[in-house]
Amino acid sequence: MGKTKIQLFLLLMAILFLISLRMIQPAADPPESLSMSGGPYGDPGGYAFNARNKVLFGQWEVDKMNSPLYSSPIPALLTFLSFKIFGVGFVQMNVVPILFSCLSLVFVFLLLRKTLSGSQSLAVMGFTLLGANYLFLMYSRIANRVMPMVFFLVLALFFFQKGSKNKKWYLFAGASSFLAFMTKGVCFYIVGAFFLGLFVYLVFKLGVKKAAVPFGFCLAGFAFCLLLWGIFIYIPHGDDLKSISAINVSFLIPPKSVSRMLYYFWIRPSILFERAPILSLLSGLSLLLLLFRATHEPKKLSLLEWIMLSWFIISVLYFAVIQQRVTRHFIPQIIPMVFLSSWLIHRFLRSERITKPRRLHFTFGLVLFFWLLFPMSKIAKPILDKGPDVFSKIWIATSLLAFLSFLLVFLIIFLVRRWPKNFTLSCPPFMKKATVVVILLGVLFFNGRQYLSWALQPEYKLQHISFDLGEAFDHAAISGLWAPVICLENKHRAHESFPGFVNDEKDFLEKFQITHVFASTAFNGQEIKYYRQNFPSAMRKAQLLAKYNIWRAEMLLYDLKPSTSLISQKDEFEAEIFTQRQGMPRYDPESSGKFAVLSDKWEPGFVTIVSIQEKIPEGRYKVIFEMKLEANLSKAHPLSRIARIDIVAPETKRLLEAKDLTEDDFPDSGGYHEFPLTLDIIRPLKLNFRVYSDGLSPFWVDRIRIEKISDV
């Protein structure tokens, strides 16, 4: 096999490997640290809602929750086809974003190869920067419409590249830009950046008059798709689209107040820098060099360079002044970062030496000033926060930042002008290649470490809940913002209800014959408060069946029509409604109710903590913990402690009684076994009954009972 064939084989293996990473654990939950929002958990079910209804119930529309169908029709149709062919489930749902992610990678590779002088190896390097990026990789398997949007944006770039050779391709670039906007409207600023980059490129290349025709092709492609969308989607289904925009637009539009904009600027999160520091530094430096070229030799910039410049700058400015800056909105920004970084590495490898610039245009000094405001503000903020209170005032802090940036610009220009004309910097070829290898290895290590921490210990909480609800209930109708996602693996009806968003009628529960509520306590308990305030009678009669810890929220499962046989007695406490982070309510036909808590098999920690709010009077008591080992578990740690049960007085934080449990303490016959603790109370006390897992062997906790033996 020749050297060229070996290289092609290795390149192909690298590409297939990066694509295959997207297909590992396709049904697993996203990492809890992925986003400051619970969107990666709950949103995919909402987007798949109509496709699921069509497959299971024969109708696209079952209530007013139809905005995902009409706001993202192409992914919705592909989700329907996946459900129709393979059945409804998490894997089938996540196949769609995985597909769009892989297609995006393919087109990015083709574009990089074109813009990197046809170099296969450099194109694969850029492909790796994107394909191995942790955020891009994780969102590649989350069905929240980010990946379809990214694909259509990349496809538009592909057509823009071809349009620079034949203007008719601009028609398809405009059409693809609209498809991206239609799929997820939050990319409106990126579409605007595309048009701005194209216009500037055409003006410098052809002049204003001659630029009108090719620019018109792009506008025509966009306008034609907009017309079709307006006729077939917006006019008949405008109310559905307005319902989803009403709850999001206020968070995505810059405020009218300049002071508020500056406030958002100072508190903006460093999501991409924290998750992709090497890529951020490379793209930031590349942007500076591109700005230098744009201010000194604008006619030499290619179309893609102008588009990436516009995309990067507008994105940074946009996210600096808006309120909602959740992780998913930053994913498209990774695309220009990859191109800018790849171009920088390409120029670095091709350059012979670094020489003094012939001149520095005033415009470059101006853009350098604004460029410096962003990194300087991140450096200055923690210093200003520790200083006098006067520096915490927005206008004073901003003025000081502007002054410091101006001084730094002045210093840079002064040093460049003092740079000796004959002084140059050069780097041997082997050092350049070694530097690039180190950069690539650093990127792989940093992203690989984050990815492996998730992939080696994945969680399937959402899928397990969905399976359990299918076994626990017959023909249920579940309400909640996450109801669609927890119904993916069962055939229950799911409905969302939230004020100002969807299905917020006063008779919602009766209209759709809701049997259960699955509501979150996140964001100050907005959702659970909504049910308690708007449906007080139903919620007073409801029974809390389980408490799930998912992401950073507690999800509460209520039965609106509880059976009297399942209602706990006063001195009996179901462990599944007191679940802690290392416990998970699971359906168990052997339990006293329908659910019991299963301990985490990976991490040590408290499984359940029953907190008694009323003081227990004086007397001798027996507290009984009903527990069992996981079925079919081989006793790998017969003598090691696997759990501890204890009783604590929370007011004094004093441990009253405790017992360590090993695997040998559980009978081989299986089933729940009672582990009692005896306690003497000499004065009324509030008590906590706790079960701790050492993370060695999974076990179940059903309920905890307290029985009075005698008076003291």
Side-chain angles (χ1 to χ4, degrees), residues 163-223:
S164 62
K165 307 296 181 184
N166 185 338
K167 62 186 177 184
K168 293 180 180 179
W169 285 104
Y170 290 141
L171 190 73
F172 298 100
S176 187
S177 297
F178 178 81
L179 292 177
F181 171 73
M182 181 183 68
T183 301
K184 204 165 180 66
V186 72
C187 73
F188 69 93
Y189 66 94
I190 301 176
V191 174
F194 282 4
F195 282 97
L196 176 62
L198 174 63
F199 182 75
V200 173
Y201 166 77
L202 291 173
V203 168
F204 277 115
K205 183 178 181 181
L206 304 175
V208 177
K209 292 184 179 180
K210 292 184 179 181
V213 174
F215 191 73
F217 272 99
C218 188
L219 285 177
F222 188 92

Side-chain angles (χ1 to χ4, degrees), residues 129-259:
L129 293 177
L130 178 63
N133 181 272
Y134 173 71
L135 290 178
F136 192 83
L137 183 56
M138 296 312 303
Y139 274 89
S140 294
R141 43 181 311 286
I142 298 174
N144 60 357
R145 303 302 182 251
V146 169
M147 279 303 123
M149 172 191 66
V150 168
F151 166 72
F152 287 120
L153 291 174
V154 172
L155 186 62
L157 294 176
F158 180 78
F159 289 135
F160 276 122
Q161 173 69 18
K162 296 184 77 67
S164 62
K165 307 296 181 184
N166 185 338
K167 62 186 177 184
K168 293 180 180 179
W169 285 104
Y170 290 141
L171 190 73
F172 298 100
S176 187
S177 297
F178 178 81
L179 292 177
F181 171 73
M182 181 183 68
T183 301
K184 204 165 180 66
V186 72
C187 73
F188 69 93
Y189 66 94
I190 301 176
V191 174
F194 282 4
F195 282 97
L196 176 62
L198 174 63
F199 182 75
V200 173
Y201 166 77
L202 291 173
V203 168
F204 277 115
K205 183 178 181 181
L206 304 175
V208 177
K209 292 184 179 180
K210 292 184 179 181
V213 174
F215 191 73
F217 272 99
C218 188
L219 285 177
F222 188 92
F224 178 72
C225 292
L226 176 62
L227 178 64
L228 294 178
W229 175 81
I231 294 172
F232 295 105
I233 294 181
Y234 186 78
I235 292 176
H237 306 292
D239 291 339
D240 292 311
L241 295 174
K242 290 175 184 177
S243 70
I244 195 170
S245 62
I247 201 171
N248 289 313
V249 166
S250 60
F251 298 110
L252 296 172
I253 298 298
K256 296 179 181 179
S257 168
V258 177
S259 296

Side-chain angles (χ1 to χ4, degrees), residues 63-184:
D63 58 18
K64 294 182 180 179
M65 179 64 180
N66 304 305
S67 52
L69 173 63
Y70 302 117
S71 63
S72 302
I74 295 176
L77 290 174
L78 289 175
T79 303
F80 165 72
L81 289 176
S82 178
F83 286 172
K84 188 71 174 178
I85 296 171
F86 304 110
V88 178
F90 282 89
V91 174
Q92 299 91 315
M93 176 182 70
N94 292 335
V95 161
V96 175
I98 290 173
L99 171 65
F100 279 108
S101 172
C102 294
L103 290 174
S104 300
L105 287 171
V106 170
F107 278 95
V108 164
F109 174 78
L110 295 176
L111 279 168
L112 285 171
R113 190 174 60 177
K114 277 281 186 182
T115 59
L116 296 174
S117 305
S119 172
Q120 295 275 15
S121 56
L122 287 177
V124 170
M125 178 205 64
F127 177 92
T128 303
L129 293 177
L130 178 63
N133 181 272
Y134 173 71
L135 290 178
F136 192 83
L137 183 56
M138 296 312 303
Y139 274 89
S140 294
R141 43 181 311 286
I142 298 174
N144 60 357
R145 303 302 182 251
V146 169
M147 279 303 123
M149 172 191 66
V150 168
F151 166 72
F152 287 120
L153 291 174
V154 172
L155 186 62
L157 294 176
F158 180 78
F159 289 135
F160 276 122
Q161 173 69 18
K162 296 184 77 67
S164 62
K165 307 296 181 184
N166 185 338
K167 62 186 177 184
K168 293 180 180 179
W169 285 104
Y170 290 141
L171 190 73
F172 298 100
S176 187
S177 297
F178 178 81
L179 292 177
F181 171 73
M182 181 183 68
T183 301
K184 204 165 180 66

Side-chain angles (χ1 to χ4, degrees), residues 269-285:
S270 304
I271 293 176
L272 292 177
F273 183 77
E274 292 171 359
R275 294 301 184 95
I278 298 176
L279 195 65
S280 298
L281 291 172
L282 289 174
S283 58
L285 180 58

Side-chain angles (χ1 to χ4, degrees), residues 460-489:
Y460 294 84
K461 290 183 177 180
L462 292 176
Q463 189 179 49
H464 288 159
I465 293 172
S466 190
F467 282 136
D468 288 346
L469 297 185
E471 294 186 71
F473 311 127
D474 294 321
H475 309 294
I478 303 175
S479 173
L481 294 178
W482 286 19
V485 79
I486 62 165
C487 288
L488 276 172
E489 301 284 358

Side-chain angles (χ1 to χ4, degrees), residues 5-48:
K5 290 184 177 180
I6 293 176
Q7 289 179 340
L8 288 174
F9 175 76
L10 293 175
L11 293 177
L12 181 61
M13 289 298 100
I15 292 173
L16 291 177
F17 171 71
L18 291 173
I19 289 177
S20 68
L21 290 178
R22 283 144 179 75
M23 303 176 188
I24 295 174
Q25 318 288 8
D29 299 336
E32 290 189 0
S33 61
L34 185 64
S35 175
M36 65 185 74
S37 160
Y41 287 82
D43 288 357
Y47 282 112

